[in-house]
Amino acid sequence: MKYGITLPHDWTMDQTTSNDPVQMYETMTAIAQTADEYGYESVWLFDHFHPSPILPQDIIFEAWTATAALARDTKRVRIGQLVTCNNYRNPALLAKMASTVDVLSHGRLNFGIGCGWREDEYRAYGYEYSDAPTRLRQLREAIQVILAMWTQDEAQFEGNYYQVRGAINHPKGVQKPHIPLLVAGDGEKVTLKLVARYANACSFGGDFATIAHKLAVLKKHCEAVGRDYQSIHRTVSTICAIGSTEEQAMAKVPELWQARMRSGDARGLVGTLDTIRELIAAYEAAGVQELQLTFMKEDGLTDIQRFAKAFIG
């Protein structure tokens, strides 16, 4: 199992500067650098503009400019987004941005993308919020545009939503044959088909039975298009809270996430180290290869370091 860290924007080690955006950014950087030092595989940024009701955040940094900065503030760990909202940026421009960041990071970028779902952000920022089938059709075209920008000398694409006509993208990045593409979401009829056809990696959540089922569906889609299922890196995004007792660990978890856990809508690495070891084994049995972890801020960097010492060789 590999492990990544999703980077919160609202952490600060000093309560007197809890509303200082510079301090919050420096703390976020410190988390990424700790992940770098302690052997985590990846660090991930959320591409959102508004606070999350599950993990409330007072300050939100724009994901791609922050990714570019982290490319220079880290040395080893891979960096990416969970995930870029397709409709927030033109896909040809987004491909160019990603190519630049891949160079800045010396080839450490994971490119994550999804169709978007936060209607409040769309409306507030003036983006059109189309229905889900339309957003998924736009995502399908955007992925094709991005791959064309990464692989063609002069990219060509004529779609219903996007067109590029001889677009030049140089440099295309460092990684070959192109930057790894992660497509997030677990829709069985469309999204997982996009993963099977185009993606290098997938990401979703849910309980163990749900994860195993979704991966079984993905495997069938891979067989239908002649894709090697094992070539797709399978990741799950969840939370991590470590305690000396189960109760102590659960007390760190936001109430809304606790409610999702009680309903079976979500799982997480919550409990003592022994409990977490059992949960990791269950994720592995379901077919997961990497866990993208959001740590709770109560213990600062302590849980990040403690987890690494226990589970990262």
Side-chain angles (χ1 to χ4, degrees):
M1 181 72 76
K2 296 181 178 180
Y3 305 98
I5 295 180
T6 52
L7 298 179
H9 299 115
D10 69 332
W11 277 26
T12 178
M13 307 308 177
D14 181 356
Q15 294 303 312
T16 65
T17 60
S18 60
N19 291 317
D20 180 350
V22 173
Q23 179 62 36
M24 288 188 180
Y25 179 78
E26 293 302 331
T27 300
M28 187 177 73
T29 300
I31 297 169
Q33 291 172 335
T34 300
D36 211 9
E37 176 185 357
Y38 277 78
Y40 287 87
E41 173 72 12
S42 54
V43 294
W44 303 85
L45 285 159
F46 298 114
D47 187 22
H48 286 299
F49 306 143
H50 287 178
S52 164
I54 300 296
L55 297 171
Q57 300 168 342
D58 295 327
I59 290 178
I60 301 290
F61 296 112
E62 195 282 319
W64 273 95
T65 46
T67 302
L70 290 172
R72 304 301 291 175
D73 286 336
T74 56
K75 300 181 184 299
R76 179 199 55 81
V77 73
R78 298 189 64 82
I79 53 176
Q81 309 77 33
L82 281 176
V83 288
T84 302
C85 175
N86 173 54
N87 299 112
Y88 292 168
R89 303 165 189 85
N90 174 277
L93 172 61
L94 185 57
K96 181 69 173 178
M97 292 164 56
S99 297
T100 300
V101 173
D102 196 46
V103 173
L104 295 179
S105 67
H106 297 185
R108 292 184 287 121
L109 179 66
N110 290 329
F111 180 91
I113 194 166
C115 72
W117 60 276
R118 288 287 300 270
E119 183 176 359
D120 61 315
E121 292 180 341
Y122 276 76
R123 303 296 187 196
Y125 275 70
Y127 294 111
E128 180 180 355
Y129 187 74
S130 302
D131 58 25
T134 300
R135 298 199 313 279
L136 286 166
R137 288 192 294 269
Q138 291 168 336
L139 176 63
R140 179 188 291 111
E141 287 194 8
I143 290 170
Q144 294 175 75
V145 169
I146 290 163
L147 290 174
M149 294 288 289
W150 286 346
T151 59
Q152 298 176 13
D153 290 337
E154 296 185 7
Q156 301 283 348
F157 182 81
E158 290 290 335
N160 293 321
Y161 304 100
Y162 307 113
Q163 301 81 36
V164 290
R165 295 157 182 155
I168 296 172
N169 178 30
H170 183 72
K172 300 183 183 301
V174 174
Q175 300 176 84
K176 304 299 180 186
H178 56 71
I179 298 163
L181 172 68
L182 179 151
V183 174
D186 62 2
E188 297 181 14
K189 295 181 178 180
V190 178
T191 304
L192 292 181
K193 284 185 178 180
L194 293 177
V195 172
R197 186 171 182 84
Y198 298 110
N200 303 101
C202 60
S203 180
F204 45 80
D207 60 23
F208 303 125
T210 298
I211 292 167
H213 169 72
K214 298 296 182 180
L215 290 177
V217 172
L218 174 60
K219 189 172 185 178
K220 290 181 179 178
H221 289 320
C222 287
E223 291 170 353
V225 298
R227 176 77 184 277
D228 179 7
Y229 168 76
Q230 295 299 333
S231 70
I232 298 174
H233 189 57
R234 303 178 296 277
T235 77
V236 163
S237 178
T238 190
I239 63 169
C240 184
I242 304 171
S244 299
T245 65
E246 306 298 319
E247 294 75 18
Q248 185 186 73
M250 188 61 73
K252 299 179 182 181
V253 179
E255 175 56 37
L256 284 175
W257 191 279
Q258 290 188 36
R260 290 183 62 188
M261 292 176 67
R262 289 192 295 268
S263 69
D265 183 47
R267 197 61 183 92
L269 299 185
V270 180
T272 64
L273 290 176
D274 287 341
T275 297
I276 288 174
R277 186 170 288 106
E278 294 174 359
L279 293 169
I280 291 171
Y283 277 113
E284 288 181 321
V288 178
Q289 296 171 304
E290 181 176 342
L291 292 172
Q292 300 145 336
L293 304 174
T294 298
F295 286 87
M296 305 298 100
K297 68 179 180 178
E298 284 77 1
D299 290 333
L301 299 175
T302 303
D303 275 2
I304 293 174
Q305 296 164 340
R306 187 179 179 188
F307 182 93
K309 291 175 182 178
F311 301 110
I312 298 178

